[in-house]
Amino acid sequence: MFALLHLKHAFNESDEGFVECRGETPTWQFFSGQAYLELRRPCDAATLIKFRQLLGEECVEELLAQTINWLLLSS
């Protein structure tokens, strides 16, 4: 779920738009940890919204910042 939130944020997609596009984008699926291409949606937009609300905005921002830091250090 966090990989989905990261991709949504990185590409500035709406919840609905991201869920729709993600099913058609093999690279996003691979980043999300899937080994095989699946044409179905990973979840509905409401699930993504509930997950983000459960974490809280501050936690989501901190996780995104840590991911960016890790990517910068590993390159």
Side-chain angles (χ1 to χ4, degrees):
M1 286 301 289
F2 180 70
L4 298 178
L5 284 178
H6 177 75
L7 288 168
K8 178 197 159 324
H9 178 76
F11 290 95
N12 197 27
E13 288 281 345
S14 68
D15 294 312
E16 295 82 8
F18 173 75
V19 171
E20 188 69 35
C21 289
R22 193 253 176 211
E24 301 169 358
T25 311
T27 307
W28 287 7
Q29 289 187 29
F30 182 77
F31 180 81
S32 300
Q34 289 190 263
Y36 302 99
L37 178 66
E38 292 187 27
L39 298 178
R40 65 179 176 83
R41 295 176 179 178
C43 61
D44 58 29
T47 303
L48 198 56
I49 292 167
K50 289 176 185 176
F51 182 71
R52 188 174 56 245
Q53 290 172 343
L54 180 67
L55 289 177
E57 196 63 35
E58 187 175 303
C59 182
V60 171
E61 292 297 323
E62 178 63 27
L63 289 171
L64 290 173
Q66 291 298 326
T67 302
I68 292 167
N69 287 338
W70 179 80
L71 289 171
L72 291 174
L73 292 175
S74 66
S75 59

